Amino acid sequence: MILIFLILISILILIHEFGHFLMARIFKVRVEEFGIGFPPRIFKIKKGETLYSLNLIPFGGFVRLYGEDEKKFASDSFSDQAPLKRLAIILAGIIFNIILAYLIFIIILPLGFYKPIFDERPGQIMIVEVAANSPAFLIGLQKGDIILNFDQIKNFQDFVSQNKGKEITLNIKRENKILTLKTIPRIQFPQSEGPLGIGILKVELTKVNFPRNLIYGLYLTFDTLNKMIEKLKDIFKNILTEGKMPQDVVGPVGLFYILNQLKVFGLNYILFVFALISLNLALINVIPFPALDGGRAIFVAFELLTGKAPNKKFEAILHLTGFIILILLGILITFKDIKMIF
């Protein structure tokens, strides 16, 4: 799971930075370094004019462009490009993350994936935990099994509670097989386990066949972005009014912990979550904060509107300050994640 997590996170960062890299190359801007993570460097290799590096701090990545912070009066310098070209290079990473999310959606939608639902809609009951030596364990129930004939958690819990000490029959869907299993719910049991010794969630199967997946994928992409914008507003409101970070904000460590808990839903659902993370990465980078793409875009937009280039030294200091703040924030969130887990 750790390897899958690292590969998928690396792909998200690579795609984002590749957007900047590709757009820079299209406009013939020299790329001095393509880095995954932030320095100090662990590994580096130079090909042509570009240094490719793997770095120790795993909170992102970067593309360092020639002439990024000052004019070089050269055709391959970033600062010497027209404002619209610079804006296209800056925003390319965001666009590539949105495209990546859409591509993941249209690939996994025809395959289908289970996702949890928490409202009153009917769904399917999935087993997400099986306690050792419990009745469920002894009859071979497994994580990921679907309990048939029930569409609400409460209905199933009432059924089990009413039949404690009596034999019951459970119809179970496991992949493409239907199993019929008998067991007796316990009258006395550990409070954290329940009569059967299982943890359950209500889920729904999301599946959209080709070619409808192409259109539904677009809807899912932009509907998700809209919901994320609303969530982001709530986060900023919480920080400004209460002065603290919401509990559901996590970093790489917390993200791995959550995904490890969700692996019961299968690889397709994990890919779905990574599509959400890709959209989240795009949205965060739009924020007009120094060192983020949105912060850099604001300076170019200022030049477009006023016809005057901002002071490059001031801009460089602001971005460096923003970068330091982001690294410190990443470290604080990581400590919060560790505290949450342990």
Side-chain angles (χ1 to χ4, degrees):
M1 184 62 192
I2 293 176
L3 182 60
I4 293 174
F5 175 78
L6 291 175
I7 290 171
L8 291 175
I9 285 291
S10 298
I11 289 172
L12 290 185
I13 297 169
L14 277 169
I15 290 294
H16 181 89
E17 297 306 327
F18 183 70
H20 297 308
F21 176 86
L22 182 62
M23 195 61 68
R25 299 306 297 154
I26 287 172
F27 292 131
K28 295 181 170 52
V29 172
R30 189 195 312 175
V31 179
E32 294 188 321
E33 185 172 359
F34 187 119
I36 302 299
F38 292 118
R41 295 191 186 108
I42 300 171
F43 171 80
K44 63 180 180 178
I45 184 171
K46 189 165 187 178
K47 288 191 176 182
E49 297 178 323
T50 304
L51 179 72
Y52 299 88
S53 66
L54 180 65
N55 300 279
L56 184 62
I57 303 174
F59 294 126
F62 64 94
V63 168
R64 183 158 53 86
L65 304 174
Y66 177 62
E68 188 170 336
D69 296 323
E70 60 180 351
K71 283 183 176 288
K72 299 290 186 180
F73 303 100
S75 61
D76 60 351
S77 165
F78 174 77
S79 294
D80 289 281
Q81 304 302 311
L84 283 177
K85 287 185 178 180
R86 280 182 278 140
L87 196 60
I89 293 170
I90 290 169
L91 297 179
I94 294 168
I95 294 168
F96 267 54
N97 275 128
I98 294 172
I99 292 172
L100 174 64
Y102 171 71
L103 291 175
I104 293 174
F105 286 150
I106 64 172
I107 289 171
I108 64 174
L109 280 169
L111 300 174
F113 57 93
Y114 286 103
K115 63 179 181 179
I117 52 176
F118 302 99
D119 53 29
E120 295 304 312
R121 285 175 294 160
Q124 299 183 66
I125 309 303
M126 175 181 281
I127 296 173
V128 295
E129 196 66 51
V130 179
N133 301 317
S134 64
F137 177 85
L138 296 175
I139 63 170
L141 287 178
Q142 300 177 8
K143 293 181 181 180
D145 285 350
I146 299 291
I147 303 171
L148 301 177
N149 306 322
F150 296 92
D151 59 11
Q152 297 289 352
I153 288 176
K154 187 178 185 307
N155 294 342
F156 177 70
Q157 289 175 331
D158 289 345
F159 167 74
V160 173
S161 181
Q162 292 164 8
N163 288 280
K164 286 185 288 189
K166 305 174 187 176
E167 186 177 76
I168 60 173
T169 300
L170 299 176
N171 295 313
I172 301 296
K173 181 181 178 183
R174 180 178 300 162
E175 296 179 348
N176 296 319
K177 298 177 182 177
I178 303 295
L179 308 175
T180 300
L181 303 173
K182 295 182 184 293
T183 187
I184 299 175
R186 297 174 292 191
I187 297 174
Q188 295 182 333
F189 47 86
Q191 190 174 0
S192 61
E193 293 183 9
L196 289 179
I198 58 174
I200 55 176
L201 274 179
K202 185 170 61 173
V203 300
E204 65 178 1
L205 177 64
T206 301
K207 186 172 183 178
V208 182
N209 292 326
F210 180 83
R212 286 185 58 243
N213 63 315
L214 303 178
I215 302 300
Y216 189 76
L218 277 175
Y219 163 76
L220 196 55
T221 299
F222 290 102
D223 180 63
T224 302
L225 276 173
N226 183 56
K227 290 175 180 176
M228 285 181 172
I229 290 170
E230 294 303 315
K231 178 64 177 176
L232 197 60
K233 289 179 184 177
D234 291 340
I235 289 173
F236 281 122
K237 183 180 178 182
N238 190 285
I239 292 172
L240 292 173
T241 57
E242 299 184 24
K244 62 182 181 180
M245 188 72 69
Q247 289 298 311
D248 54 358
V249 175
V250 298
V253 174
L255 184 60
F256 171 74
Y257 175 76
I258 291 168
L259 286 174
N260 198 45
Q261 303 301 308
L262 295 175
K263 64 184 180 182
V264 64
F265 294 103
L267 179 60
N268 289 348
Y269 181 71
I270 291 176
L271 290 174
F272 170 74
V273 172
F274 265 85
L276 302 185
I277 296 169
S278 188
L279 291 176
N280 190 61
L281 181 60
L283 185 60
I284 288 173
N285 270 282
V286 172
I287 298 171
F289 186 84
L292 294 176
D293 293 341
R296 297 181 185 278
I298 285 293
F299 284 95
V300 179
F302 172 82
E303 185 177 345
L304 274 170
L305 292 172
T306 65
K308 298 179 181 179
N311 184 289
K312 285 293 180 182
K313 287 186 179 179
F314 171 73
E315 184 181 348
I317 291 170
L318 205 59
H319 289 317
L320 178 61
T321 304
F323 172 77
I324 293 170
I325 291 171
L326 290 173
I327 291 297
L328 291 174
L329 185 61
I331 292 170
L332 286 173
I333 291 174
T334 299
F335 278 121
K336 183 180 78 68
D337 291 346
I338 293 170
K339 186 178 178 182
M340 173 189 73
I341 295 168
F342 298 103

